[in-house]
């Protein structure tokens, strides 16, 4: 089976943020390679600052790539101009951690979910509204949410709206950057289940980005562990959990076990 996306030797450098010095570039992503099959999930796991979001932004054409290739839909996305990348973007959508800042507070939920159709053009008002309602239905929110505004929704509901919006152009790949991290534990589970259902129903591929190895193990087919810009360990979920060869993986595993213990203490 052909992968949905194939990333080869991706490098992302940022110009140094220090003022007054000659810009020594900082390497946030260092020769990262992976691929994702249709209908499957690769979890990209790593501590904060390891370069996960930089990978996500490069894949979504939101940051220019320093070097390497991103093969998607028969093209190297990394080599496309701004204008050319517009044709690819609908098929490759990204959802961020904090829907409170990624959803326009002045818009209604209906307008937010349907906005990608507007950008695409030539979709009549009525059809936009209908498709927004269908999109909301798909993420477990009824048409009664169309006229609400983000501030009236809970964190979980806002994340459902962000997912509905990402799905409206029928992408093949969803990049999910810490989409569960800002949510309460019980809500995390609900949104995780929704993601699993949507994947089954729509045959979507996911790049699921998280610092929580336990959550990654729950959702993914394969795990890639990132540390300081590099993938240090990669394989099937069971292999990574059982083996945990790298110190980085062991640390992450330890961190999610600690999370679980503190939860258990809290529950007591
Ligand atoms: P993660 O998502 O794993 O927390 P990021 O990709 O956000 O990691 O960041 C990786 C590294 O790149 C960090 O050290 C961060 O400070 C740096 N970085 C991220 N964005 C920029 C930027 N726009 N300019 C300079 N450095 C950046
Ligand atoms: Mg990040």
């Amino acid at each position: 089976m052909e992968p949905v996306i194939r990333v080869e030797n991706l490098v992302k450098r940022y110009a140094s943020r220090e003022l007054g010095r000659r810009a020594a570039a900082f390497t946030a992503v260092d020769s990262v390679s992976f691929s994702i099959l249709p209908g499957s999930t690769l979890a990209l796991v790593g501590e904060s600052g390891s370069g996960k979001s930089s990978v996500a932004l490069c894949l979504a054409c939101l940051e220019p790539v320093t070097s390497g290739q991103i093969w998607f839909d028969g093209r190297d996305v990394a080599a496309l101009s701004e204008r050319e990348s517009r044709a690819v973007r609908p098929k490759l959508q990204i959802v961020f951690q904090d829907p409170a800042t990624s959803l326009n507070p002045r818009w209604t939920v209906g307008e937010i979910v349907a906005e990608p159709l507007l950008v695409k053009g030539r979709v009549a008002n009525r059809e936009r509204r209908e498709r927004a309602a269908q999109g909301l239905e798909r993420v477990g929110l009824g048409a009664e949410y169309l006229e609400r505004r983000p501030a009236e929704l809970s964190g979980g509901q806002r994340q459902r709206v962000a997912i509905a919006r990402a799905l409206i152009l029928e992408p093949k790949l969803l990049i999910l950057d810490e989409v569960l991290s800002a949510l309460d534990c019980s809500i995390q589970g609900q949104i995780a289940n929704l993601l699993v259902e949507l994947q089954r129903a729509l045959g979507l591929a996911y790049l699921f980005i998280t610092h929580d190895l336990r959550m990654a193990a729950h959702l993914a087919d394969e795990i890639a562990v990132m540390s300081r810009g590099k993938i240090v360990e990669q394989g099937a979920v069971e292999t990574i959990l059982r083996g945990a060869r790298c110190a980085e993986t062991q640390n992450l595993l330890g961190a999610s076990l600690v999370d679980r213990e503190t939860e258990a203490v809290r529950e007591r």
Side-chain angles (χ1 to χ4, degrees):
M1 206 170 10
E2 274 287 297
V4 172
I5 192 162
R6 201 173 77 237
V7 177
E8 287 176 2
N9 300 314
L10 178 66
V11 175
K12 174 65 188 173
R13 289 198 192 96
Y14 295 106
S16 169
R17 279 190 272 212
E18 276 174 72
L19 290 172
R21 299 224 182 142
R22 201 189 292 161
F26 174 78
T27 306
V29 179
D30 193 355
S31 200
V32 158
S33 303
F34 59 82
S35 56
I36 310 177
L37 292 173
S40 80
T41 299
L42 173 71
L44 196 56
V45 191
E47 284 174 3
S48 172
S50 55
K52 309 180 297 294
S53 292
S54 298
V55 170
L57 294 172
C58 289
L59 266 51
C61 308
L62 295 172
E63 271 288 344
V65 165
T66 305
S67 67
Q69 287 111 47
I70 300 170
W71 293 101
F72 180 82
D73 222 11
R75 282 180 278 200
D76 177 9
V77 173
L80 298 180
S81 70
E82 165 83 26
R83 227 181 102 232
E84 291 166 325
S85 75
R86 269 182 233 152
V88 175
R89 278 188 207 173
K91 298 277 154 217
L92 189 158
Q93 293 285 314
I94 185 165
V95 182
F96 296 100
Q97 169 169 355
D98 188 2
T101 54
S102 62
L103 306 180
N104 189 328
R106 280 172 304 209
W107 288 12
T108 66
V109 164
E111 286 166 339
I112 291 169
V113 171
E115 192 218 17
L117 296 171
L118 209 79
V119 175
K120 211 175 153 217
R122 288 208 212 115
V123 183
N125 278 342
R126 223 182 101 196
E127 191 194 333
R128 272 210 309 277
R129 205 187 144 81
E130 269 166 28
R131 284 183 60 183
Q134 285 164 6
L136 286 176
E137 193 102 9
R138 203 155 52 182
V139 298
L141 297 174
E144 70 268 23
Y145 283 88
L146 280 170
E147 305 304 327
R148 307 245 180 112
R149 278 166 220 277
E152 302 165 47
L153 306 180
S154 70
Q157 287 169 338
R158 281 202 285 260
Q159 206 53 299
R160 285 175 194 267
V161 169
I163 293 167
R165 178 190 146 92
L167 291 178
I168 200 134
L169 295 178
E170 296 166 0
K172 294 188 197 171
L173 173 69
L174 269 197
I175 301 168
L176 303 160
D177 191 356
E178 303 270 13
V179 292
L180 305 178
S181 305
L183 304 173
D184 290 344
C185 255
S186 60
I187 310 296
Q188 280 186 347
Q190 290 171 16
I191 303 291
N193 290 341
L194 172 68
L195 290 172
V196 171
E197 278 167 33
L198 289 170
Q199 182 168 54
R200 281 205 199 114
L202 305 172
L204 292 162
Y206 291 154
L207 178 63
F208 182 77
I209 296 178
T210 180
H211 62 276
D212 184 343
L213 189 55
R214 196 160 46 98
M215 193 53 88
H218 179 61
L219 275 173
D221 302 290
E222 230 188 290
I223 292 180
V225 180
M226 248 185 121
S227 175
R228 284 187 235 148
K230 289 192 159 77
I231 292 183
V232 291
E233 195 164 359
Q234 184 167 5
V237 171
E238 306 78 50
T239 321
I240 297 286
L241 290 186
R242 211 180 307 130
R245 278 178 290 121
C246 291
E248 286 85 0
T249 315
Q250 286 163 6
N251 284 342
L252 287 167
L253 204 54
S256 38
L257 289 177
V258 170
D259 270 2
R260 191 193 271 166
E261 277 159 22
T262 28
E263 272 159 35
V265 169
R266 240 186 264 137
E267 276 160 22
R268 250 182 255 146

